[in-house]
Amino acid sequence: MVLYTDGACSGNPGPGGWGVVMLDPRGEVRELGGFSPHTTNNVMELTATIEGLHAAFADWKGPLEVRTDATYVMKGITEWLPQWVRRGWKTAAGDPVANEVLWRELSELAGKFGSRLRWKKVKGHSGVAGNERADEIAVSYSRGNPASLYRGPADRYRGFQVGDDALHESAPGKPYYLSCVAGRAERHSTWDACRKRVEGVSGARFRKVKSRTEELALLRDWGVSDPVIE
């Protein structure tokens, strides 16, 4: 299983949101998200990771990889945490560790997964579909406009395909087409399929895109937030 996690905050501190995309190799995708009225970006990053691990631990016994663009989470769990514990939850300067309660919870959860758990740093806002969607969910919650959360078959989900042992993202860079009719967006692999949907339809919109980042920007311009149907 793969978890993409992300957090967002308007103001830092201010209203915040968190988002998770769970890619289950059994063929399901599940999105999670939440809101906090007054928080920080770091708290939301930690909360997203914790909530994702809680959800995965409930029914998954295989390998798990958490993918995050947050240096705070990545370095915290892989480098800083052991030092904090040795110092009695103090920093190198002798100060209390910020967000100690959340770090303790995350440490406990990680321990339950043991060697099954891996961590991977991904580059944010670079077209990585799972990361982009987790960010979209987090930002929408932080702005008081919760995203429509998907849960269902992987083959109906935006931009992912099922591999032999995990869910992998479709190869980036291959152009495809988006159409929007009556507020509903769809993705098409060919221009002919897109044209058939929009031709002769009043108010229909369409465009060729090359990445998930372009897709998200276009959907925002169109005012469409529901998952794109393939």
Side-chain angles (χ1 to χ4, degrees), residues 10-31:
S10 298
N12 201 28
W18 57 270
V20 177
V21 177
M22 303 176 63
L23 309 179
D24 191 325
R26 293 170 294 190
E28 182 179 81
V29 176
R30 181 182 176 188
E31 296 181 340

Side-chain angles (χ1 to χ4, degrees), residues 1-2 7 22 27 44-45 58 64 79 126 142 152-154 161 172 177 181:
M1 180 179 287
V2 172
M22 303 176 63
M44 290 294 91
E45 294 282 7
L64 178 71
E79 298 179 26
S126 61
S142 73
Q161 59 188 7
Y177 300 86
V181 175

Side-chain angles (χ1 to χ4, degrees), residues 3 29 39 48 71-72 83 100 113 150 155 161 166 171 180 193 198 204:
L3 299 182
V29 176
T39 186
T71 300
Y72 179 67
Q83 300 175 44
E100 178 184 338
F113 282 95
Y150 178 87
D155 59 7
Q161 59 188 7
C180 185
V198 301

Side-chain angles (χ1 to χ4, degrees), residues 180-183 197-206:
C180 185
V181 175
R197 184 170 189 243
V198 301
E199 193 171 46
V201 179
S202 178
R205 290 180 284 187
F206 58 91

